[in-house]
């Protein structure tokens, strides 16, 4: 149930993110579209999800982002799984409790994600100017992602609480 709920939330966030991209493009504003999926992956990493289940969910969500973003297949898939594993290893579960730490976590992980995208684009891309133009968007992408992170964390927390298995009531029949 929880896996399905997080996949549905991730899909909904990707749809919203794609519409935000179109809106930002239509307004001719030179800011990067925030990654709404990144805070969800970080949320899964800093909570109690097992490595296997979280990596599988991150893999699927990253693949969906590859499809939505028309990115090379595997780019965001790799980055999503790597982000989940790094967040899990960092063990910042207690640190992700306040608004400031949620914003800071999203900012740091967004910087990490953006740097990996720029590096992989520079290494494997055909156009050397693409990596340079992507590098100019790194601070803007990290800032916008950090600004939207509290909303995504709140949505993920609601899904987390709603999908917690309810405890079985004790047997009071006296047998």
């Amino acid at each position: 149930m929880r896996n399905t709920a997080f996949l549905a939330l991730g899909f909904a966030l990707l749809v919203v993110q794609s519409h935000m991209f179109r809106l930002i493009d239509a307004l001719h504003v030179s800011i990067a579209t925030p990654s709404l999926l990144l805070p969800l992956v970080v949320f899964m990493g800093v909570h109690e999800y097992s490595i296997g289940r979280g990596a599988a969910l991150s893999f699927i969500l990253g693949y969906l982002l590859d499809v939505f973003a028309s990115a090379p297949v595997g780019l965001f898939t790799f980055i999503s799984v790597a982000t989940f594993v790094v967040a899990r290893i960092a063990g910042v579960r207690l640190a992700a409790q306040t608004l400031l730490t949620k914003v800071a976590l999203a900012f740091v992980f967004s910087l990490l994600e953006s740097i990996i995208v720029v590096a992989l684009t520079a290494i494997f891309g055909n156009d050397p100017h693409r990596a340079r133009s992507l590098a100019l968007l790194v601070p803007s992408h990290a800032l916008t992602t950090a600004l939207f992170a509290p909303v995504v964390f709140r949505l993920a927390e609601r899904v987390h609480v709603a999908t917690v298995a309810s405890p079985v009531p004790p047997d009071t029949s006296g047998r």
Side-chain angles (χ1 to χ4, degrees), residues 91-109:
V92 289
R93 181 177 303 151
L94 297 176
Q97 301 299 322
T98 66
L99 178 69
L100 184 60
T101 56
K102 290 174 185 177
V103 169
L105 274 174
F107 184 78
V108 168
F109 277 103

Side-chain angles (χ1 to χ4, degrees), residues 33-138:
T33 305
S35 174
L36 300 180
L37 194 63
L38 180 75
L40 180 64
V41 171
V42 172
F43 177 87
M44 290 187 311
V46 299
H47 284 76
E48 85 286 345
Y49 300 101
S50 69
I51 294 284
R53 181 172 44 163
L57 283 171
S58 298
F59 179 87
I60 294 168
L61 292 171
Y63 183 77
L64 287 173
L65 182 57
D66 283 337
V67 171
F68 269 74
S70 299
V73 175
L75 178 65
F76 287 108
T77 305
F78 168 75
I79 291 170
S80 295
V81 174
T83 301
F84 171 79
V85 171
V86 170
R88 185 73 179 140
I89 291 171
V92 289
R93 181 177 303 151
L94 297 176
Q97 301 299 322
T98 66
L99 178 69
L100 184 60
T101 56
K102 290 174 185 177
V103 169
L105 274 174
F107 184 78
V108 168
F109 277 103
S110 182
L111 279 177
L112 178 68
E113 176 191 53
S114 298
I115 290 169
I116 292 172
V117 167
V118 169
L120 291 176
T121 303
I123 293 169
F124 297 113
N126 296 335
D127 184 11
H129 300 291
R130 182 176 293 159
R132 287 187 195 131
S133 62
L134 286 175
L136 295 175
L137 294 174
V138 168

